[in-house]
Amino acid sequence: MKPVARSTPSMIRTLPQLACLAGALVLTACTTPEQQAPKPAPVPTLAQLLNEADAAAKAGQYDRALLLLKGSGTAYPSDKAPWLQMAQMKFDRAHYGDAIVDALEVLERDPEDKVANSIVAVSGLRLSGKALADLSRQNNLNGSLRSEAQELAKLLRASIGEDVLLPVAKRPPAPAARRPAAAAPAAKGAPTQGAADPFSGLK
């Protein structure tokens, strides 16, 4: 029969110490901080983007300004400011078709915006005036197109309260002659009212 091993006092004191050490190691492992992911860069405010686009436009960087404005329109889709600035830039450069498209985006967000409504109206008039002048020069303004243009001309004259949409500039009166003379024929190539006003044939 083998003798039974007896616990000595030193072993009894060591066991609780080992248990405490193991517990401390477990707690240390649990409380080790995880590596934090890098924070994303803060999104610029709308005012910052608009100011940057304005500075680019003033520096002659037209394409960069438009790129910044399109980006701000994507980042802040409910705000009309980027679209209004794009419409104004394109209108100032006589890109009337594109200006109308951007101004309509403004009006989707704010139907009462006066600047956007003005850009649509004036851009449309300039495009229409050019097209009518081209058609008149080609003698191709007839039929239903002529009728619709006449109705448009009436509406425009009523809206602005003028009989002539694009009045001819007034010339200073000629000095009185000592004796009446026959009226001189108009010089060749002199501008007429029809040439200055593409709507003159639609009265």
Side-chain angles (χ1 to χ4, degrees):
M1 185 175 179
K2 295 181 179 180
V4 178
R6 296 181 180 179
S7 299
T8 62
S10 60
M11 291 177 63
I12 294 173
R13 289 195 300 270
T14 305
L15 288 175
Q17 293 175 353
L18 290 174
C20 291
L21 181 60
L25 289 174
V26 171
L27 290 175
T28 304
C30 293
T31 57
T32 301
E34 296 181 0
Q35 187 175 5
Q36 295 181 351
K39 294 183 179 180
V43 178
T45 65
L46 179 60
Q48 289 173 335
L49 291 170
L50 294 179
N51 289 337
E52 191 174 351
D54 188 53
K58 289 179 179 177
Q61 301 172 351
Y62 178 69
D63 292 337
R64 182 170 182 273
L66 286 180
L67 190 63
L68 287 166
L69 290 172
K70 287 179 182 178
S72 60
T74 302
Y76 299 91
S78 62
D79 202 291
K80 67 178 183 178
W83 299 100
L84 185 59
Q85 197 162 330
M86 280 191 284
Q88 188 67 61
M89 287 175 62
K90 292 174 182 178
F91 179 84
D92 293 341
R93 286 161 179 78
H95 300 163
Y96 298 122
D98 293 336
I100 289 174
V101 172
D102 291 338
L104 291 176
E105 290 285 348
V106 175
L107 295 176
E108 283 188 8
R109 292 158 176 79
D110 181 8
E112 302 300 323
D113 191 282
K114 293 181 180 179
V115 175
N117 275 309
S118 299
I119 288 175
V120 171
V122 177
S123 296
L125 281 174
R126 291 185 179 177
L127 290 174
S128 299
K130 182 181 183 304
L132 287 172
D134 291 342
L135 288 171
S136 297
R137 187 174 60 253
Q138 299 166 10
N139 294 322
N140 199 24
L141 187 61
N142 49 37
S144 61
L145 179 60
R146 181 179 180 84
S147 300
E148 290 182 17
Q150 287 174 333
E151 292 300 320
L152 176 61
K154 289 178 184 177
L155 176 63
L156 292 172
R157 283 194 292 268
S159 297
I160 64 176
E162 296 288 344
D163 293 333
V164 179
L165 292 176
L166 299 174
V168 180
K170 295 181 180 180
R171 298 179 180 178
R178 291 182 181 178
R179 57 182 179 179
K188 292 183 179 180
T192 61
Q193 181 171 324
D197 182 2
F199 297 93
S200 60
L202 304 176
K203 297 178 183 178

